[in-house]
């Protein structure tokens, strides 16, 4: 069950057999059904979850209205990284959009890995830098790009979202209504 996450790590850092065994020992495999929450607003996010199979969305809920902020797919990590780092209550929800299987890395166990696995701090640094760049790109896109451009960019960067995430969630992520997304899709010939 850990093969996929170990392969992911090995793209960035060298791992010895003892490192792999420690990762397997400190992590747990969990299953989430579609629509089940892995994190709710107001709770501290004390984990990073590697998605072996499935998909999650991160969203805010304001006065009963949901605003999608990101999507997490298999082969990547799912977390509220700000809450994870600061140990403050999360402002977001993380919800499975498909039946999903994840490998849970609890914060205390990540700290053990940082101390005991050579280069694991380097991996954490690379992951944090990557997340920061993604957040900057998303923020810039909302200032510099029209909704049509944001959708077109998403089609290029993450085409799998169209098949796996409901359109109303994608519309919310793009900052538009589902009707506006339908018009954009028609104009682009992506119906």
């Amino acid at each position: 069950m850990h093969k996929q996450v170990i392969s992911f790590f090995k793209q960035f850092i060298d791992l010895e057999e003892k490192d792999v065994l420690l990762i397997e020992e400190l992590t747990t495999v969990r299953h989430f059904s579609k629509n089940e929450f892995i994190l709710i607003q107001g709770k501290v996010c004390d984990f990073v979850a590697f998605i072996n199979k499935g998909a999650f969305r991160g969203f805010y809920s304001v006065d009963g209205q949901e605003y999608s902020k990101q999507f997490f797919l298999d082969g990547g990590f799912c977390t509220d990284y700000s809450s994870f780092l600061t140990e403050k209550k999360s402002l977001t929800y993380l919800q499975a959009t498909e039946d999903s299987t994840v490998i849970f890395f609890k914060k205390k166990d990540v700290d053990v890995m940082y101390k005991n696995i050579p280069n694991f701090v380097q991996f954490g640094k690379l992951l944090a830098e990557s997340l920061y760049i993604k957040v900057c790109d998303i923020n810039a896109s909302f200032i510099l790009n029209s909704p049509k451009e944001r959708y077109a960019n998403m089609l290029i960067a993450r085409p799998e979202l169209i098949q796996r995430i409901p359109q109303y969630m994608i519309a919310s992520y793009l900052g538009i209504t589902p009707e506006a997304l339908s018009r954009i899709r028609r104009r682009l010939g992506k119906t």
Side-chain angles (χ1 to χ4, degrees):
M1 187 58 76
H2 289 78
K3 184 178 179 183
Q4 192 177 356
V5 73
I6 298 302
S7 293
F8 183 85
F9 288 145
K10 286 183 175 181
Q11 294 175 57
F12 303 96
I13 59 172
D14 293 326
L15 291 174
E16 296 180 17
E17 186 60 29
K18 67 179 180 58
D19 303 329
V20 171
L21 292 173
L22 181 63
I23 291 168
E24 290 174 349
E25 176 189 329
L26 293 176
T27 58
T28 56
V29 176
R30 300 226 1 230
H31 303 281
F32 292 88
S33 300
K34 182 179 180 177
N35 297 322
E36 190 175 352
F37 290 92
I38 191 170
L39 177 70
I40 60 170
Q41 184 180 44
K43 299 289 182 185
V44 173
C45 183
D46 65 347
F47 67 87
V48 174
F50 181 84
I51 306 169
N52 263 354
K53 175 184 168 288
F56 291 82
R57 72 172 174 139
F59 69 95
Y60 301 106
S61 180
V62 180
D63 297 328
Q65 180 73 29
E66 295 177 0
Y67 299 92
S68 296
K69 73 171 198 163
Q70 57 194 140
F71 301 107
F72 308 92
L73 302 178
D74 24 34
F77 287 93
C78 175
T79 190
D80 177 344
Y81 200 53
S82 177
S83 175
F84 178 80
L85 290 176
T86 64
E87 299 181 8
K88 292 182 180 177
K89 292 178 182 178
S90 176
L91 300 175
T92 66
Y93 292 88
L94 298 175
Q95 181 183 37
T97 58
E98 301 173 354
D99 290 343
S100 301
T101 303
V102 303
I103 297 177
F104 246 71
F105 292 77
K106 298 295 271 182
K107 184 168 182 33
K108 65 180 177 56
D109 297 324
V110 170
D111 291 339
V112 170
M113 290 177 214
Y114 282 149
K115 289 178 184 150
N116 293 290
I117 299 175
N119 299 322
F120 206 72
V121 170
Q122 177 65 19
F123 173 78
K125 178 181 180 290
L126 292 171
L127 185 62
E129 289 170 352
S130 173
L131 290 171
Y132 177 76
I133 290 166
K134 285 179 186 175
V135 167
C136 288
D137 289 347
I138 290 168
N139 288 341
S141 178
F142 272 89
I143 295 168
L144 302 174
N145 301 123
S146 70
K148 182 179 175 182
E149 290 168 325
R150 286 196 298 273
Y151 180 74
N153 291 339
M154 187 191 73
L155 286 177
I156 294 166
R158 301 189 74 191
E160 66 278 8
L161 292 180
I162 301 304
Q163 303 301 318
R164 297 181 65 183
I165 303 296
Q167 294 300 300
Y168 76 94
M169 291 180 189
I170 291 174
S172 172
Y173 173 73
L174 295 171
I176 58 177
T177 65
E179 296 78 19
L181 178 57
S182 291
R183 286 191 297 274
I184 290 170
R185 287 173 52 93
R186 276 194 303 276
R187 282 188 221 124
L188 293 174
K190 307 285 184 194
T191 55

